[in-house]
Amino acid sequence: MPAPRNVYIAVVGVGGVGKAFISQLEALSQRLSHRRPPINISLILVSRSSQILLSESYRSLSFSTWESDLASSKQPVLPIPDLVEYLATAPEKAILVDNTSNQNVADCYPQFLRRGISIVTPNKKGFSSDFALWQDVFAAAANGSGSGGYIFHESSVGAGLPVLSTLKELVETGDEVARIEGVFSGTMSFLFNSFMPVGGGGGQFSAEVKKAKELGYTEPDPRDDLNGLDVARKLTILARLAGLEVESPTSFPVQSLIPKELESCSSGDEFLSRLPEFDGEMDKLKEEAAREGKVVRFVGSIDVAKKDVKVGLEKFDASHPIAALKGSDNIISFYTKRYGSNPLIVQGAGAGGEVTAMGVTGDLIKVLQLLH
């Protein structure tokens, strides 16, 4: 009988997504231990920005006590080069699970990959920052043009929805992607579905932003959602996968919904308290759309042939799939040669710890299948 394989996992970032991932990893490791031949998963490192818990012997940490063990750990936090070295010297293959949104970690992906360490991550910054970093990552990765570790980032767009894998398959099977369009932010989806529901109604824009924040749909400072940059990062990733050399998320038009006068507010609370002063502008947009029998939504679109990428407010007929979205769902439409005028649509929850972690776990399974 073939000997069991051992795989060593390091998890950086243990907030909502990280916790959900470790819980899913525990269940996965139990299933894999009963496979023939078995795969033994060892969780050897968990860390947050100020604390780390690592196994110096590479024996697995406890799935049941990792949280309290991390909270009481006095181990010094590893600088990134030391983390690369620690994983590169594991007894067998190591995988880095980066659940942060940290640019410094993302900048070092090529170093990990070149040492044979695979990466799975929802961190958009490794794939939407300078085009040079994107090139370096895939020049090093075994699923790029390199011979290092593998890298997958399904959850960087649409949480657990199969958005990137769908686009990759369209491209790799030779379909011609003409246009990609959709609602890419759970926050913006919730906000505009509440502000201007199909059939009329909805509150004032500032009240809906406040409600979205209270329900946990926005960042602590809602300006981090309203500036459109989160959506721009997702569009950058999709455009690059579709073959466009987009330089960065600020290299194309992105409409910010932050009134100029409020950009310099010192806090999110100050911003929210002053936002009602500007409700008139959004009310005007709403009335204009209603007169045309349409609704306003915050969308991203990529015209592949024209190499045109943009993010901002657009009007849609009430019968359009984008208008009919509910809650905080995402919807992404792929218009291609094969699918003609009826796009291939991916729709569902595009945010949340469990579904984002599911995308990360799915990517981990892909890596495990590739690591013979």
Side-chain angles (χ1 to χ4, degrees), residues 128-130 229 232-234 236 240 246-254:
S128 63
S129 301
D130 310 352
L229 187 61
R233 284 192 178 279
K234 294 169 186 174
T236 301
R240 288 172 176 175
V246 175
E247 183 47 45
S248 77
T250 54
S251 63
F252 53 85
V254 178

Side-chain angles (χ1 to χ4, degrees), residues 40-276:
N40 296 330
I41 297 275
S42 294
L43 175 65
I44 55 169
L45 180 150
V46 289
S47 75
R48 56 170 66 98
S49 54
S50 57
Q51 284 180 300
I52 191 168
L53 178 68
L54 71 83
S55 167
E56 286 170 18
S57 65
Y58 296 99
R59 290 182 59 175
S60 187
L61 304 170
S62 163
F63 277 110
S64 51
T65 63
W66 72 265
E67 274 191 85
S68 55
D69 294 344
L70 175 62
S72 59
S73 172
K74 298 284 184 280
Q75 290 175 309
V77 174
L78 285 186
I80 291 175
D82 293 0
L83 175 58
V84 173
E85 201 53 43
Y86 170 72
L87 294 178
T89 49
E92 290 183 51
K93 292 293 186 187
I95 301 171
L96 173 71
V97 182
D98 174 20
N99 292 315
T100 73
S101 57
N102 187 308
Q103 184 70 57
N104 293 337
V105 178
D107 286 342
C108 296
Y109 286 171
Q111 294 172 39
F112 286 98
L113 294 164
R114 283 195 288 268
R115 296 295 300 274
I117 300 155
S118 294
I119 300 169
V120 295
T121 181
N123 186 350
K124 290 183 276 292
K125 290 180 180 164
F127 312 95
S128 63
S129 301
D130 310 352
F131 190 62
L133 176 59
W134 169 276
Q135 289 176 306
D136 286 351
V137 164
F138 289 103
N143 52 324
S145 56
S147 56
Y150 294 93
I151 188 162
F152 290 99
H153 57 107
E154 183 68 71
S155 287
S156 62
V157 178
L161 296 175
V163 177
L164 302 189
S165 50
T166 299
L167 176 56
K168 277 183 188 166
E169 200 155 288
L170 290 169
V171 171
E172 286 169 7
T173 59
D175 200 353
E176 289 173 29
V177 180
R179 191 159 59 91
I180 304 167
E181 173 183 73
V183 172
F184 294 88
S185 158
T187 304
M188 292 302 211
S189 180
F190 178 83
L191 199 46
F192 281 89
N193 296 342
S194 305
F195 171 64
M196 193 173 184
V198 172
Q204 293 214 290
F205 189 69
S206 61
E208 297 298 352
V209 173
K210 192 163 179 284
K211 183 169 83 178
K213 182 176 189 277
E214 284 163 2
L215 291 170
Y217 283 114
T218 73
E219 295 293 328
D221 185 337
R223 286 176 295 181
D224 293 336
D225 295 295
L226 297 175
N227 64 13
L229 187 61
D230 174 67
V231 175
R233 284 192 178 279
K234 294 169 186 174
L235 267 281
T236 301
I237 294 167
L238 288 167
R240 288 172 176 175
L241 286 173
L244 302 185
E245 294 191 2
V246 175
E247 183 47 45
S248 77
T250 54
S251 63
F252 53 85
V254 178
Q255 182 179 1
S256 170
L257 300 185
I258 304 167
K260 283 242 178 310
E261 298 87 337
L262 303 188
E263 283 172 0
S264 58
C265 284
S266 60
S267 70
D269 289 340
E270 186 194 339
F271 168 74
L272 279 177
S273 71
R274 290 196 55 202
L275 191 57

Side-chain angles (χ1 to χ4, degrees), residues 320-371:
H320 195 285
I322 283 178
L325 271 188
K326 297 279 185 285
S328 59
D329 277 8
N330 284 189
I331 184 169
I332 296 92
S333 304
F334 296 101
Y335 292 85
T336 77
K337 189 173 181 183
R338 288 186 192 137
Y339 280 86
S341 56
N342 290 327
L344 167 57
I345 293 177
V346 179
Q347 180 177 344
E354 286 293 339
V355 289
T356 304
M358 181 196 90
V360 179
T361 305
D363 279 348
L364 175 64
I365 292 167
K366 287 177 202 160
V367 173
L368 293 173
Q369 287 166 342
L370 289 163
L371 292 176

